[in-house]
Amino acid sequence: MREVVLVYLDRSGGLQKFVHDCKKYNDSKQSYAVYRFIISINPSDIAELDATLGNYILHNPLQAAQIFQSVCFVAIKTLSLIEQLQTEAQISVLLKPTHLPPFPSYVLSLSAYPFNYTSQRFYMSEGIVIAMGTVTKYTQGARFLCTEETCPFSEGFRCIRVHCPGATESATVRTDFVCSLCSSPLQEDMKFRVLGDKQIVEMIDAKVLKALKGYSNDKSHFRIQAFTLFLR
């Protein structure tokens, strides 16, 4: 699947954009713990190249992003695109689909019952924004060092925490993380923290417009409730 990813990136122009993004990181004087890349993908084109990879992206996007992460790391090291990069864990890949298959199973509708959205895959959702919060900061990635000086994880970029979709802030930055090698406490290196913007949006299903038309029908009563989105 890694070969298919490389072929797709080359054909779609994503590889050229990736090289350009790497150049911006390499030319920057700022030190980064995490290098974040947003990769646009067309699920239909990928499925034509390899059906297994296309299905994997649609239904296991977090695991599929790890394949892209591995390909990006090899490309950076092979082409010497980012001199400061040390480990694969420093790369964060966000897959951004251009569209999803036009089937009901890919539509997130909180007015439908039962709610069967337990999988962490891509969904489309359409609604009306009724409230928006202010733009605030959140931690995209952070570097931690082992407090035991003799431990190999006390230097370098071995312990990297990266924000994943659906995770809370405490999953990325906390004070009770321990070293996986020696079980000593981990301490964050604050100068390598990577911040991003987030905004909370309240949405309501588009079907609410039917209730605002001012007339009733023979259908049973229904209830519409707003839901919260985190835009990062």
Side-chain angles (χ1 to χ4, degrees):
M1 285 193 285
R2 291 180 176 85
E3 294 181 2
V4 177
V5 168
L6 188 59
V7 170
Y8 172 75
L9 290 177
D10 185 36
R11 293 182 180 180
S12 64
L15 188 59
Q16 183 178 0
K17 179 182 180 300
F18 173 73
V19 172
H20 178 72
D21 293 340
C22 288
K23 187 177 186 302
K24 291 193 297 183
Y25 278 125
N26 197 45
D27 294 341
S28 176
K29 297 180 180 180
Q30 182 179 350
S31 298
Y32 292 90
V34 176
Y35 299 89
R36 190 168 184 259
F37 300 96
I38 300 177
I39 300 180
S40 296
I41 54 174
N42 186 323
S44 299
D45 291 345
I46 294 180
E48 290 182 3
L49 287 174
D50 188 275
T52 302
L53 179 60
N55 185 70
Y56 204 55
I57 290 174
L58 288 174
H59 299 94
N60 298 281
L62 298 181
Q63 290 76 13
Q66 295 177 357
I67 300 177
F68 280 78
Q69 176 189 13
S70 178
V71 172
C72 291
F73 177 73
V74 173
I76 291 175
K77 284 300 184 182
T78 303
L79 302 176
S80 300
L81 298 176
I82 302 178
E83 297 179 359
Q84 306 93 326
L85 180 69
Q86 296 186 20
T87 65
E88 184 176 324
Q90 291 180 259
I91 298 177
S92 175
V93 172
L94 177 64
L95 299 181
K96 185 178 181 181
T98 56
H99 68 281
L100 292 178
F103 301 122
S105 59
Y106 291 95
V107 177
L108 176 65
S109 177
L110 296 182
S111 64
Y113 185 83
F115 306 133
N116 187 22
Y117 304 113
T118 56
S119 62
Q120 293 182 330
R121 65 174 176 84
F122 290 118
Y123 290 98
M124 295 180 291
S125 181
E126 186 179 57
I128 304 168
V129 176
I130 60 175
M132 298 176 65
T134 58
V135 177
T136 58
K137 296 293 183 181
Y138 79 101
T139 303
Q140 288 183 349
R143 175 199 188 192
F144 287 83
L145 297 174
C146 183
T147 54
E148 175 57 52
E149 296 181 357
T150 60
C151 179
F153 288 3
S154 63
E155 58 183 10
F157 293 84
R158 309 283 189 104
C159 301
I160 301 294
R161 304 290 302 184
V162 180
H163 176 270
C164 293
T168 60
E169 185 79 5
S170 61
T172 308
V173 179
R174 281 205 315 266
T175 59
D176 60 348
F177 291 129
V178 295
C179 178
S180 59
L181 190 62
C182 68
S183 299
S184 298
L186 294 178
Q187 185 175 8
E188 182 186 357
D189 189 352
M190 292 297 296
K191 65 178 179 289
F192 282 95
R193 179 180 288 193
V194 181
L195 299 177
D197 293 332
K198 73 174 180 180
Q199 187 175 22
I200 299 177
V201 174
E202 287 285 332
M203 288 185 64
I204 198 164
D205 196 283
K207 292 182 179 180
V208 71
L209 292 177
K210 297 180 180 180
L212 298 177
K213 290 181 179 180
Y215 65 89
S216 61
N217 50 31
D218 295 333
K219 294 183 179 180
S220 60
H221 297 289
F222 60 92
R223 178 175 179 267
I224 296 179
Q225 180 175 332
F227 56 97
T228 303
L229 293 179
F230 289 82
L231 304 181
R232 299 183 185 269

